[in-house]
Amino acid sequence: MAIVRNCLSCGKPNRIPAKHLADSGRCGACKSPLPPVTDPLEVRPAEFDEIVRESKVPVLVDFWAAWCGPCRMAAPHVAQVARELAGRAVVVKVDTERYPELAARYNVQGIPNFAVFTGGNLQFQQAGVVDANTMKGWLVQPAA
């Protein structure tokens, strides 16, 4: 499985394996540079599992729901972290309404709920709204 990203130059879709989401690459069609992922990726359970397992950099997971006011407050901070740590971390979003089984797997009882994974293992988890600097701190030096 791979994440599909459209080239910024020619618009053609490119399949990016989960282990290369933080890497720079080239478009398969026009050979223009493809930068690391700079936006939070909304993922399904299979994509989540592959990204967490295969990523060479820490993964920040935002468990959220569309109806959740605090989740909407946290969203700009999550996006800022994805932009500022592109190439050094991958940020994914899991909609707990669409994928309650994934939220249950990590005992998510309140949202927003943030989790940090490295090497396929859960390193840290916290519920509640936090700012981008706090999230970046989790990724730069994940809790043991």
Side-chain angles (χ1 to χ4, degrees):
M1 180 180 312
I3 304 298
V4 176
R5 295 182 61 212
N6 291 335
C7 175
L8 299 174
S9 295
C10 72
K12 297 286 184 182
N14 286 263
R15 292 175 34 140
I16 313 295
K19 67 181 177 181
H20 292 298
L21 290 172
D23 296 339
S24 295
R26 296 218 169 269
C27 174
C30 73
K31 307 302 181 214
S32 292
L34 284 176
V37 174
T38 59
D39 296 312
L41 299 170
E42 294 196 26
V43 296
R44 300 183 308 262
E47 294 166 331
F48 171 89
D49 290 337
E50 183 175 356
I51 291 169
V52 165
R53 183 180 61 249
E54 300 291 328
S55 180
K56 297 181 282 186
V57 296
V59 178
L60 173 66
V61 181
D62 174 14
F63 291 96
W64 70 286
W67 54 263
C68 170
C71 297
R72 289 193 301 273
M73 289 172 46
H77 296 280
V78 173
Q80 178 183 345
V81 170
R83 275 190 316 274
E84 292 181 7
L85 293 184
R88 295 185 291 155
V90 172
V91 178
V92 299
K93 294 176 70 74
V94 174
D95 184 339
T96 59
E97 291 292 302
R98 291 183 68 196
Y99 308 111
E101 69 283 0
L102 195 51
R105 186 190 314 169
Y106 294 100
N107 200 29
V108 173
Q109 296 180 357
I111 53 175
N113 190 297
F114 301 99
V116 175
F117 292 83
T118 58
N121 298 308
L122 177 62
Q123 300 296 313
F124 177 81
Q125 190 167 358
Q126 178 178 317
V129 177
V130 295
D131 65 10
N133 287 330
T134 300
M135 291 180 215
K136 288 189 287 186
W138 298 335
L139 294 164
V140 172
Q141 296 179 344

